[in-house]
Amino acid sequence: MGIINNNFLKLNESYLFQEINRRTREWMAKNPLREVLRLGVGNTTEPLTPVIVDAMHKKLNELSYVNTYTGYGDEQGNNDLRAALADFYKREYNVHLDRNEYFVSDGAKSDAGNIQELFSPSCKVAVQDPSYPVYVDSNVVGGRSGLYNSNQLSYDGFVFLNAASENGFIPSPPKEHVDIIYLCFPNNPTGAVATSEQLKAFVDYAKREKAIIIYDAAYADYIRTPGIPHTIYEIEGATSVAIEINSFSKNAGFTGVRLGWTIVPFDIEADGVEKGLLHKLWNRRQCTFFNGASNIAQSGGVAALSQEGRKECRGMVDYYLGNASIILNGIKKVGFECYGGINSPYIWTRCPKGMSSWEFFDYLLNKTGVVVTPGVGFGKQGEGYVRISSYGHRENIEKAIKKISEEL
Amino acid sequence: MGIINNNFLKLNESYLFQEINRRTREWMAKNPLREVLRLGVGNTTEPLTPVIVDAMHKKLNELSYVNTYTGYGDEQGNNDLRAALADFYKREYNVHLDRNEYFVSDGAKSDAGNIQELFSPSCKVAVQDPSYPVYVDSNVVGGRSGLYNSNQLSYDGFVFLNAASENGFIPSPPKEHVDIIYLCFPNNPTGAVATSEQLKAFVDYAKREKAIIIYDAAYADYIRTPGIPHTIYEIEGATSVAIEINSFSKNAGFTGVRLGWTIVPFDIEADGVEKGLLHKLWNRRQCTFFNGASNIAQSGGVAALSQEGRKECRGMVDYYLGNASIILNGIKKVGFECYGGINSPYIWTRCPKGMSSWEFFDYLLNKTGVVVTPGVGFGKQGEGYVRISSYGHRENIEKAIKKISEEL
């Protein structure tokens, strides 16, 4: 394999959603008269809201006239959107950061994948288990792992922070030294949210160990319980240890429109890293590998952060949270043990009767036509669980829960 | 620098456009009554065309209704756009590739930067000198260079393929073995275009050396001389050695909208790399680090590739080529030695009287208020040249050329 990056060759195929689709198709072929009800993927289903659509139409009109046309924007994002982000954090979270600390991107997935490029291949990386696969996969490509280990259902070399019912799916900071910790709250897939005290333990750890926290807050708008932090910067001192990644996907329906942001505070420092360096390097990274997010999407983002836009988007999140509540109550009534679904769009359900994730997936599909996501696809600790997603039209959610109530 | 990627620390700040802006601002402050005429950056100035704007408004409307809303698309791009790309290559270039060999992206810059991730840090990389800085910078980050060498005005470890007036700015293939060759035709910054024979020499070299060509064709639509290849796949056998990167930026005005594509043929093979592997790895890379280009931009892309869209876009390119022609003729009349500007939006101009790139930049700015790009910003061989860009409104181009004619 002369010229190929060996780290890429370590990377397993990502079979989870392919395998879900394969099994679903097979079942449909065998049961042509039965209805499939998909509660698997975390894909938004509700339309963009009026204020956002209007802003994007307006931008599109501007792009169609010679006097208002604009070409390349700044790689870091347009000034008005960066200012709107800074204002939004001040207004809603009392977090005061400079607009230049906000980097606009084409979505949280890109940033979550790319951020590791700033760090040495020798860095020790900790991830929650289970977790969104991009944190692990991108670090495999970055050379921070060993080979795939089928006992761990992941790669050697990572520190896995186990999330289980015993710790309320909120792991403690690692016992050993690590350099980088990925955290995601509200968590995908478990739906768990961390309290200020729990987050503070990670911030304290990072300060002590001179480590960096990469905090994925893509589901922050689903938090409705008072007192639960929406951003890691609500924790004192977090600006000196944490990078935060966020997105317009799940709160404004931009999954297909593509827009996100990453905050790299000027204040971050770490082992051998003086203040300002990480900010400067991420800036250089974006200027080299990226040419800015779509200007149409960015206009939509500014509208989404306006008072009116926030109100509309809250309505959209309410809708999905309403779905989550229907799922949670329905599943609980059947007697299943489940978590999340309150400050999160995901309901993390323990498979009944000791079934494995895939066994329960098949069982549920056969009995009810409902498709969920096997928890084992998110890591070893996900075995024995499934993730149920509240992204869907209300009538489908209700139909799925009715089916489950009747058939199980 | 414990936890930082050392390769990032090798990377110099990118001063070129910053320094241009600094000197321009300084001049403006000193000459408040004089007009600045910017022929520096390669940024489009003409509005999006009607067919494209209509398609994007339509998509936006679809996203605003529950029955037509869609969320995540495929990471590889939407099927209709991939099909439209495959059809466009068949129709216009007689190049027959499968739609799945086309990967849609948010622009050529991202792909040009990211493609190197697939390759080993030990790969030897050849770039044209001068060239678009992303090829070099991304490979520095990828660990395929030594330190910055101020004699070379670049990094150690690269093989530089010198483009100069003696070879018509078309270098020959390297004498030594390399693993990866970046080529860009029509070239940025020199405006040179390669003939089939010249490209065939590179394809033959790549086959012989089991190397990979990364072919940046972002300016292909500016080629109007019959017989000059628009895509490297017009060269026999190129599908077994070349990846091609292209963009809607310069032919459809998508610099701010963001949309591009990269072709990784199934057939590519290289040293130790069997057919299909590179395609599979790029697919895996995009699925891990990218979540698809904006669906609004993609609808615009489909429209741009329609017969009507192609006609409109040709009109837009004609406009910039008209500008190029005015610049080329005007500059020639003043007696300057210049290249490009025929099948390219860039006019590569030798600085008069042995001036350096920056000396001529200052001279031109002081005499005429015209801002150009110092050629040395693109590499050592660019010293003694400036790049003049035809992106601008016609009246500004004419004004600039008039100024140059009168003052020089």
Side-chain angles (χ1 to χ4, degrees):
Chain A
M1 292 302 175
I3 73 167
I4 296 292
N5 177 351
N6 276 319
N7 295 319
F8 249 110
L9 299 176
K10 283 184 200 164
L11 205 56
N12 273 3
E13 294 266 7
S14 174
Y15 284 122
L16 180 63
F17 289 97
Q18 274 176 42
E19 181 62 14
I20 290 173
N21 288 336
R22 196 189 63 73
R23 293 193 191 204
T24 307
R25 272 199 310 272
E26 204 175 283
W27 182 84
M28 287 165 75
K30 279 190 199 150
N31 301 276
L33 297 177
R34 292 179 65 188
E35 189 179 9
V36 175
L37 296 158
R38 296 176 194 274
L39 302 185
V41 288
N43 198 357
T44 51
T45 56
E46 302 311 304
L48 300 179
T49 72
V51 167
I52 295 172
V53 172
D54 286 353
M56 292 203 278
H57 275 305
K58 184 165 169 278
K59 182 67 188 179
L60 203 40
N61 282 332
E62 288 171 7
L63 294 176
S64 68
Y65 293 103
V66 68
N67 292 325
T68 46
Y69 175 86
T70 51
Y72 291 122
D74 292 332
E75 288 92 343
Q76 303 86 351
N78 294 338
N79 246 318
D80 57 348
L81 180 51
R82 303 178 88 186
L85 283 165
D87 185 58
F88 157 64
Y89 270 70
K90 275 176 205 153
R91 211 167 64 211
E92 300 202 9
Y93 307 143
N94 196 30
V95 166
H96 295 253
L97 292 166
D98 189 274
R99 71 174 69 177
N100 293 314
E101 295 175 286
Y102 295 81
F103 291 87
V104 176
S105 75
D106 67 329
K109 184 180 178 187
S110 311
D111 288 352
N114 293 330
I115 195 79
Q116 48 79 29
E117 286 179 19
L118 302 188
F119 302 105
S120 162
S122 66
C123 282
K124 194 80 181 170
V125 176
V127 293
Q128 292 171 269
D129 181 3
S131 72
Y132 179 52
V134 168
Y135 315 137
V136 162
D137 287 357
S138 61
N139 277 289
V140 172
V141 171
R144 291 172 210 89
S145 82
L147 295 175
Y148 188 79
N149 175 336
S150 48
N151 288 326
Q152 174 55 47
L153 300 180
S154 190
Y155 302 84
D156 283 332
F158 289 101
V159 171
F160 293 99
L161 306 174
N162 290 345
S165 57
E166 295 78 48
N167 59 17
F169 300 95
I170 309 288
S172 300
K175 300 231 177 333
E176 63 270 65
H177 171 78
V178 304
D179 302 297
I180 302 166
I181 305 174
Y182 287 81
L183 294 176
C184 173
F185 296 113
N187 187 261
N188 176 14
T190 69
V193 288
T195 63
S196 296
E197 294 67 38
Q198 287 165 331
L199 287 183
K200 190 172 180 298
F202 279 97
V203 170
D204 290 345
Y205 172 91
K207 283 190 174 173
R208 196 172 62 240
E209 298 290 329
K210 301 186 173 189
I212 301 281
I213 295 169
I214 295 164
Y215 192 75
D216 184 343
Y219 297 93
D221 273 341
Y222 288 76
I223 297 173
R224 293 296 161 82
T225 301
I228 300 289
H230 289 238
T231 155
I232 190 144
Y233 303 120
E234 290 182 56
I235 310 305
E236 210 195 314
T239 50
S240 71
V241 293
I243 289 168
E244 181 164 299
I245 296 171
N246 209 321
S247 162
F248 290 91
S249 287
K250 306 300 167 83
N251 56 10
F254 277 33
T255 41
V257 173
R258 310 304 313 139
L259 196 67
W261 70 90
T262 284
I263 303 168
V264 186
F266 297 135
D267 269 0
I268 281 205
E269 42 191 347
D271 189 17
V273 182
E274 74 271 25
K275 281 185 188 190
L277 180 63
L278 269 183
H279 183 275
K280 198 181 94 182
L281 290 179
W282 184 245
N283 187 65
R284 186 69 168 97
R285 194 270 162 207
Q286 292 300 81
C287 289
T288 304
F289 292 86
F290 186 59
N291 229 338
S294 177
N295 47 16
I296 302 167
Q298 291 194 62
S299 317
V302 173
L305 293 172
S306 69
Q307 302 274 6
E308 194 54 30
R310 288 293 292 161
K311 227 170 82 184
E312 288 181 354
C313 289
R314 189 176 168 96
M316 182 187 282
V317 173
D318 280 344
Y319 181 89
Y320 294 124
L321 283 172
N323 288 349
S325 169
I326 290 166
I327 297 168
L328 188 64
N329 293 331
I331 297 280
K332 272 191 176 160
K333 237 180 241 167
V334 185
F336 290 171
E337 186 184 330
C338 51
Y339 305 91
I342 291 174
N343 295 302
S344 157
Y346 297 122
I347 294 90
W348 189 239
T349 305
R350 197 192 290 261
C351 307
K353 301 171 192 159
M355 277 188 260
S356 75
S357 293
W358 281 110
E359 282 167 358
F360 186 51
F361 172 91
D362 287 334
Y363 177 81
L364 203 60
L365 182 59
N366 283 326
K367 282 274 200 184
T368 66
V370 173
V371 177
V372 296
T373 308
V376 68
F378 299 96
K380 189 180 184 181
Q381 298 295 316
E383 179 57 289
Y385 289 87
V386 297
R387 186 192 77 173
I388 310 182
S389 161
S390 66
Y391 293 106
H393 301 316
R394 183 64 51 88
E395 59 273 25
N396 289 335
I397 303 284
E398 283 171 342
K399 217 186 272 180
I401 293 304
K402 191 158 172 277
K403 268 282 186 195
I404 290 175
S405 308
E406 287 170 0
E407 304 294 336
L408 296 191
Chain B
M1 292 301 175
I3 74 166
I4 296 292
N5 176 351
N6 275 319
N7 294 319
F8 250 109
L9 299 175
K10 283 183 198 164
L11 205 57
N12 273 3
E13 293 266 5
S14 173
Y15 284 121
L16 180 64
F17 289 97
Q18 275 176 42
E19 181 62 14
I20 291 173
N21 288 333
R22 196 190 64 73
R23 292 193 192 204
T24 307
R25 273 198 310 273
E26 205 174 281
W27 182 83
M28 287 166 75
K30 278 189 200 149
N31 301 278
L33 297 176
R34 291 180 63 189
E35 188 179 10
V36 175
L37 295 159
R38 297 179 193 272
L39 302 186
V41 288
N43 199 357
T44 50
T45 55
E46 303 311 304
L48 300 180
T49 71
V51 166
I52 295 173
V53 171
D54 286 352
M56 293 204 278
H57 276 305
K58 183 165 170 275
K59 181 67 188 179
L60 203 39
N61 283 332
E62 288 172 5
L63 294 175
S64 69
Y65 294 103
V66 68
N67 292 326
T68 46
Y69 174 85
T70 52
Y72 291 122
D74 292 332
E75 288 93 344
Q76 302 86 352
N78 294 338
N79 246 319
D80 57 349
L81 181 51
R82 302 178 88 187
L85 283 164
D87 184 57
F88 157 64
Y89 270 68
K90 274 177 206 154
R91 211 168 63 213
E92 300 202 8
Y93 306 143
N94 196 29
V95 166
H96 295 254
L97 291 166
D98 190 273
R99 71 175 69 180
N100 293 313
E101 296 175 286
Y102 295 80
F103 291 87
V104 175
S105 75
D106 67 328
K109 185 180 178 187
S110 311
D111 288 352
N114 293 329
I115 194 78
Q116 48 79 29
E117 286 180 18
L118 302 188
F119 301 105
S120 162
S122 66
C123 281
K124 194 82 181 170
V125 175
V127 292
Q128 291 170 271
D129 181 2
S131 72
Y132 179 52
V134 168
Y135 316 136
V136 162
D137 287 358
S138 61
N139 277 290
V140 172
V141 172
R144 290 173 211 91
S145 82
L147 296 174
Y148 188 79
N149 175 335
S150 49
N151 288 326
Q152 174 55 48
L153 301 179
S154 190
Y155 302 84
D156 283 331
F158 289 100
V159 171
F160 293 98
L161 306 174
N162 291 346
S165 57
E166 295 76 48
N167 58 19
F169 301 96
I170 310 289
S172 301
K175 299 228 178 332
E176 63 270 66
H177 171 78
V178 305
D179 302 297
I180 301 166
I181 305 174
Y182 287 81
L183 294 176
C184 172
F185 296 113
N187 187 259
N188 176 13
T190 69
V193 288
T195 63
S196 297
E197 293 66 37
Q198 286 164 331
L199 288 183
K200 190 172 180 300
F202 278 98
V203 170
D204 290 346
Y205 172 91
K207 282 188 174 176
R208 196 172 60 240
E209 297 291 329
K210 300 186 173 190
I212 301 281
I213 294 169
I214 295 165
Y215 192 76
D216 184 343
Y219 298 93
D221 273 340
Y222 289 75
I223 296 174
R224 293 295 161 84
T225 302
I228 299 288
H230 290 239
T231 155
I232 189 141
Y233 303 121
E234 291 182 55
I235 311 304
E236 210 197 313
T239 51
S240 71
V241 292
I243 289 168
E244 181 164 298
I245 297 171
N246 209 320
S247 162
F248 290 91
S249 287
K250 304 301 167 80
N251 55 10
F254 276 34
T255 41
V257 173
R258 310 304 310 135
L259 195 67
W261 70 89
T262 284
I263 302 168
V264 186
F266 297 135
D267 268 1
I268 282 205
E269 43 191 346
D271 190 16
V273 182
E274 73 271 23
K275 282 186 187 190
L277 180 64
L278 270 183
H279 184 274
K280 199 181 94 181
L281 290 179
W282 184 244
N283 186 63
R284 186 70 168 97
R285 193 271 162 208
Q286 292 300 80
C287 290
T288 304
F289 291 85
F290 186 58
N291 229 338
S294 176
N295 46 15
I296 302 166
Q298 291 194 62
S299 317
V302 172
L305 294 173
S306 68
Q307 303 273 9
E308 193 55 32
R310 288 293 292 162
K311 225 168 86 184
E312 288 180 356
C313 288
R314 190 176 167 98
M316 182 187 282
V317 172
D318 280 343
Y319 182 89
Y320 294 124
L321 282 172
N323 289 348
S325 168
I326 291 167
I327 297 168
L328 188 64
N329 293 332
I331 297 280
K332 272 191 175 159
K333 236 180 243 167
V334 184
F336 290 172
E337 183 184 332
C338 50
Y339 304 91
I342 291 174
N343 295 302
S344 158
Y346 298 122
I347 295 89
W348 189 239
T349 306
R350 198 193 289 263
C351 305
K353 300 170 193 160
M355 277 189 261
S356 75
S357 294
W358 281 109
E359 282 166 0
F360 186 51
F361 172 92
D362 288 334
Y363 176 82
L364 204 60
L365 181 61
N366 284 325
K367 283 273 199 187
T368 66
V370 173
V371 178
V372 294
T373 307
V376 69
F378 300 96
K380 190 180 184 183
Q381 298 296 318
E383 180 58 289
Y385 289 87
V386 297
R387 187 192 75 174
I388 310 183
S389 161
S390 65
Y391 293 106
H393 300 317
R394 182 66 52 88
E395 60 272 24
N396 289 334
I397 301 285
E398 284 170 342
K399 218 186 270 179
I401 293 305
K402 191 158 171 280
K403 267 279 184 196
I404 290 175
S405 308
E406 288 168 1
E407 304 294 337
L408 295 192

